[in-house]
Amino acid sequence: MNDQEKDLPNWEQATFKNSVIFAWIVSEHPEVCLELLQLILPELAVTEIFEVISEYTQKASLKNHGVRFDVYTEDDRGRMFDLEMQVVDQHDLSKRISYYQSNLVRRALASGCAYNEKADTYVIFICDFDYGRSGLPLYSTKMILHENRKVLDTGVHNIILNIKSNKLSLVSKRLAAFLNYLASSKVIDDFTRKLDELVTELKTDTRKKDHYMEYKQEIASLKAYIREETRKETREATQKEEREKTISVMIKKMVAKGYDRQKTLATILEFTNYSAPEVSEIYDKLLVK
């Protein structure tokens, strides 16, 4: 479950930066996906993409943890791209990026191929917060040797966009217009106009609305399930802690009376419903060095 899904807005309030809306539009309109890659990564000169997939339409169950890309695609050179919309900062983006990259990399090298044949992989996070804490509109990562700063060509690329940047003059006008649109819904150029029209069009699709509301309900149900499981685990942990305290007190009293390990365990097991393994474990924890 993506963090922004914890509190999905109402259908009427959802904008292009909502992960579900984003995934639907970008996956169902390959020309939008292509233009996004072109304005985010102009140096790649991407001209054609294939197999634009949204995992929102292919999820098995929200309770099963696994990678579920917002949008996945490949270009005509075999390069692989994962585009993610991230609204809420849960302070785990570094690990999240690593996890998503690992799943891309597993797809990037066919069995029997040389390592130099591995496809380049790109994970792109569009964030409604400043991950780099420098106000920049775009951050990227690279792997280097710590000692001499030599850059390693791993073919692994991570890009993090900052919707909230106030330094949009540092990027192209097209990318600046896109980030500005996400931040304010302000239409500036042809691309943002197209996005706005597609969002409006999507909102008229009653099937999409029903799907969205069902998904929102599923998120609510999952949150309730997680809360109940957390409470259950807390209760069980408390009960276990109390059992351990009680057993520890009994062991200490019997040892003080001169009981050896065998007699101590036998006595406790005879007069209580505690199991032999748990009593034995606690005895050893207390007395065996």
Side-chain angles (χ1 to χ4, degrees):
M1 180 176 64
N2 280 4
D3 296 314
Q4 64 270 29
E5 292 165 0
K6 292 180 178 179
D7 292 293
L8 283 172
N10 293 331
W11 176 250
E12 294 75 17
Q13 298 171 323
T15 65
F16 183 72
K17 73 179 180 181
N18 173 269
S19 62
V20 182
I21 303 296
F22 169 80
W24 273 336
I25 290 178
V26 177
S27 63
E28 293 178 4
H29 299 273
E31 73 280 6
V32 170
C33 185
L34 176 60
E35 191 159 354
L36 270 178
L37 293 178
Q38 290 172 337
L39 65 87
I40 295 171
L41 297 165
E43 67 277 9
L44 296 187
V46 179
T47 59
E48 192 174 4
I49 56 174
F50 305 97
E51 194 185 17
V52 184
I53 300 173
S54 166
E55 294 294 340
Y56 279 96
T57 62
Q58 300 184 3
K59 63 185 176 62
S61 168
L62 289 174
K63 294 180 182 178
N64 294 330
H65 187 70
V67 69
R68 186 165 52 84
F69 303 130
D70 277 5
V71 177
Y72 168 83
T73 191
E74 299 176 14
D75 72 358
D76 55 345
R77 295 175 57 181
R79 294 175 295 200
M80 307 166 73
F81 303 89
D82 164 36
L83 294 95
E84 301 287 329
M85 187 65 73
Q86 187 79 14
V87 175
V88 179
D89 184 5
Q90 293 294 323
H91 310 289
D92 64 354
L93 192 62
S94 298
K95 299 294 178 64
R96 187 182 292 272
I97 287 175
S98 175
Y99 180 68
Y100 279 66
Q101 268 291 359
S102 69
N103 282 277
L104 276 186
V105 169
R106 276 198 289 270
R107 305 183 184 192
L109 185 65
S111 177
C113 292
Y115 287 110
N116 281 334
E117 298 178 74
K118 183 182 79 67
D120 282 6
T121 57
Y122 295 79
V123 170
I124 302 168
F125 268 84
I126 305 170
C127 299
D128 198 19
F129 53 89
D130 184 8
Y131 173 75
R133 304 293 188 265
S134 297
L136 300 176
L138 185 149
Y139 302 94
S140 59
T141 68
K142 59 185 177 183
M143 184 177 290
I144 62 172
L145 296 179
H146 179 73
E147 288 74 16
N148 61 10
R149 315 301 291 177
K150 175 181 172 61
V151 178
L152 302 182
D153 181 15
T154 62
V156 171
H157 309 272
N158 301 303
I159 296 89
I160 305 166
L161 298 176
N162 173 21
I163 295 173
K164 295 191 178 300
S165 175
N166 59 0
K167 300 177 181 179
L168 297 182
S169 61
L170 296 177
V171 294
S172 70
K173 289 183 178 180
R174 295 176 65 214
L175 181 53
F178 173 65
L179 294 175
N180 195 308
Y181 173 71
L182 293 178
S184 65
S185 296
K186 183 179 179 181
V187 171
I188 297 174
D189 60 4
D190 290 343
F191 183 55
T192 53
R193 183 174 298 105
K194 180 179 181 65
L195 294 179
D196 209 51
E197 291 171 353
L198 289 173
V199 171
T200 301
E201 179 184 334
L202 182 67
K203 294 293 188 70
T204 66
D205 189 329
T206 55
R207 288 180 300 177
K208 282 287 196 297
K209 179 180 180 180
D210 291 343
H211 186 117
Y212 182 89
M213 299 311 293
E214 289 171 4
Y215 186 64
K216 183 175 181 178
Q217 183 57 48
E218 190 176 355
I219 292 293
S221 297
L222 178 58
K223 288 173 65 177
Y225 169 80
I226 292 173
R227 284 196 298 268
E228 181 55 35
E229 287 299 302
T230 301
R231 284 195 289 265
K232 180 180 177 182
E233 290 174 2
T234 301
R235 288 195 299 269
E236 290 176 350
T238 301
Q239 291 170 357
K240 181 180 179 182
E241 184 177 343
E242 291 301 320
R243 288 168 68 91
E244 289 183 353
K245 286 181 180 178
T246 301
I247 295 171
S248 295
V249 169
M250 288 190 289
I251 290 173
K252 290 176 181 177
K253 286 183 177 180
M254 293 180 191
V255 169
K257 292 181 179 180
Y259 287 23
D260 61 14
R261 185 180 189 280
Q262 184 177 354
K263 189 174 181 180
T264 297
L265 268 58
T267 303
I268 293 175
L269 295 176
E270 182 179 357
F271 295 103
T272 70
N273 63 350
Y274 300 135
S275 68
E278 67 177 326
V279 177
S280 178
E281 180 182 353
I282 295 170
Y283 183 97
D284 293 341
K285 188 186 299 184
L286 287 172
L287 300 172
V288 178
K289 304 299 182 183

